[in-house]
Amino acid sequence: MQRTVRQILGKKGSQVWTIPPEATGYDALVLMAEKNIGALVVVESDKVLGIFSERDYARKVILKGKSSKEVAVRELMSEKVFIIGQSHTIEMCMAIMSEKQVRHLPVLENDRLTGLVSIGDVVKMIISEQKITIEQLEKYISGSLY
């Protein structure tokens, strides 16, 4: 059975933390710390413009000597965003994340942001599937499946 993004969101919920592009990098960091998350979807007028992550902060603020209290998220965010739908499979998500070297995929349905899938969410689902398969194989091998 192929697992989908819908199933991930069913377990983790569809809460997505967003930030407007004119907010400062500092504002974004404060929100991420409060919510204990590693990335925010940058949204303006219900349109996804980008993703701001801890990685963006480290590479575009600290290493370039900028001030997070002065620079706007618009200047720091990753603009190349790969969008998925709830019917995408876990394998498709993993392929996109690996090939495009991204860790977060916004989920859109009917042009509306309905969730965010992280690499951690995908790995958790894969590990869960493998654990179930291993348990079933152990039962089969020991003869207790019947």
Side-chain angles (χ1 to χ4, degrees), residues 90-109:
I90 302 309
E91 290 76 18
M92 293 164 92
C93 293
M94 184 60 83
I96 292 168
M97 290 173 162
S98 297
E99 182 181 321
K100 305 300 182 184
Q101 296 182 333
V102 296
R103 296 177 179 195
H104 300 89
L105 299 172
V107 182
L108 264 65
E109 289 294 319

Side-chain angles (χ1 to χ4, degrees), residues 5 8 12 51 55 81-84 88-107 116-124 126:
V5 169
I8 288 178
K12 80 173 241 178
I51 301 260
R55 178 185 267 180
V81 180
F82 300 93
I83 305 292
I84 56 172
H88 274 74
T89 65
I90 302 309
E91 290 76 18
M92 293 164 92
C93 293
M94 184 60 83
I96 292 168
M97 290 173 162
S98 297
E99 182 181 321
K100 305 300 182 184
Q101 296 182 333
V102 296
R103 296 177 179 195
H104 300 89
L105 299 172
V107 182
L116 182 69
V117 172
S118 72
I119 188 77
D121 299 328
V122 172
V123 169
K124 268 190 228 173
I126 290 170

Side-chain angles (χ1 to χ4, degrees), residues 66-83:
K66 294 181 181 178
S67 168
S68 62
K69 290 189 176 186
E70 296 170 8
V71 66
V73 168
R74 180 184 304 280
E75 295 177 48
L76 304 172
M77 69 184 185
S78 297
E79 292 182 46
K80 191 89 171 160
V81 180
F82 300 93
I83 305 292

Side-chain angles (χ1 to χ4, degrees), residues 45-64:
S45 302
D46 292 330
K47 185 176 188 288
V48 174
L49 300 181
I51 301 260
F52 176 77
S53 69
E54 293 164 335
R55 178 185 267 180
D56 292 315
Y57 174 75
R59 293 181 179 180
K60 298 174 186 173
V61 177
I62 296 294
L63 292 178
K64 296 198 176 180

Side-chain angles (χ1 to χ4, degrees), residues 28-37:
L29 290 173
V30 168
L31 180 58
M32 290 176 2
E34 284 175 4
K35 304 303 177 189
N36 195 29
I37 55 174

